[in-house]
Amino acid sequence: MLLLALDTATPAVTVALFDAEAGRVLAARERVDARRHGELLMPSVDAVLTEAGRRIADVGALVAGTGPGPYTGLRVGLVTAAALGAARGVPVYGVPTLDGIAHASGLREPFVVATDARRKEVYWAEYADADTRVGGPAVDRPGEIAERVADRPAVGAGTALYPEAFPGARADLPAHASAGALAAIAAQRLAAGTPLDAPRPLYLRRPDAREPAGYKAVTPPPAEASARR
């Protein structure tokens, strides 16, 4: 079965076409640009399918990174996956983005993954190895977790932003999400008969957007308008 995986929970727009039976990525695209998720995602999907010589009709399931991540970027990937899945009548699975970064690290020892949550915070999780999450995901200020994670390797862009909190940061390992890693996780779980998550976003906190309050009236209410006639 072919899996089309995509993730927009980090500054990277990443897409991969994965052959679950062969256990390998057929084609992949990654572009780091936090402001152009919506603009870059579908062209990346088209490019991946073209490179692999496949069509969207050949895809048996979709895999979407569920974050955690910033509200706007994260929902671009999830909505796109949901739309493609509905159009083709194929299932859509969710895999936490931090799990994908952990898997791509290949580490076989306890470590942490942290990505940029903005507001001087990080999204982070703890792992026993590359495929076993044992804590999180959560969102915190780096200083609040520094003592807890200081003795372990640390992976992800959030660790580079706050080196004082992550002295074990591994710059040689992946900083952002990998759609290929997400697909590999999904393929492993499907083969093992392990249930996969629904494609629901892990926001962890409320979005920055708020409904405006205190509107200024620009027209008189109906009763007042009628009295003036």
Side-chain angles (χ1 to χ4, degrees):
M1 179 171 63
L2 293 183
L3 301 176
L4 179 63
L6 49 91
D7 191 294
T8 57
T10 72
V13 176
T14 174
V15 179
L17 187 65
F18 190 89
D19 186 331
E21 294 181 1
R24 66 185 182 93
V25 173
L26 300 181
R29 287 289 187 279
E30 180 177 315
R31 177 79 174 270
V32 179
D33 191 332
R35 297 180 180 273
R36 299 176 65 205
H37 289 120
E39 181 179 345
L40 295 172
L41 184 54
M42 282 308 298
S44 296
V45 170
D46 288 339
V48 163
L49 291 170
T50 299
E51 180 181 333
R54 305 300 178 91
R55 302 174 302 154
I56 191 65
D58 298 325
V59 172
L62 287 106
V63 180
T66 58
Y71 181 80
T72 301
L74 175 55
R75 65 180 180 175
V76 169
L78 287 166
V79 168
T80 300
L84 290 173
R88 297 304 312 162
V90 298
V92 181
Y93 303 114
V95 176
T97 300
L98 298 183
D99 288 1
I101 298 173
H103 181 87
S105 76
L107 291 174
R108 310 264 43 113
E109 61 186 295
F111 67 101
V112 296
V113 173
T115 59
D116 183 15
R118 304 175 185 173
R119 303 183 190 175
K120 298 182 179 180
E121 294 178 330
V122 292
Y123 296 118
W124 69 290
E126 299 172 281
Y127 295 83
D129 55 49
D131 297 308
T132 310
R133 175 160 38 95
V134 294
V139 57
D140 288 291
R141 289 185 177 275
E144 296 172 345
I145 61 172
E147 184 175 349
R148 180 171 173 175
V149 304
D151 62 341
R152 282 172 282 176
V155 183
T159 67
L161 291 173
Y162 305 99
E164 68 286 352
F166 299 98
R170 292 283 302 271
D172 58 318
L173 295 178
H176 300 298
S178 163
L182 295 177
I185 292 172
Q188 289 176 0
R189 293 178 182 174
L190 287 169
T194 304
L196 280 126
D197 297 336
R200 296 193 182 97
L202 295 170
Y203 290 131
L204 301 190
R205 65 186 184 200
R206 296 180 63 82
D208 293 329
R210 294 290 185 273
E211 183 177 349
Y215 288 102
K216 182 178 179 180
V218 294
T219 57
E224 182 179 345
S226 298
R228 291 180 179 176
R229 291 177 182 169

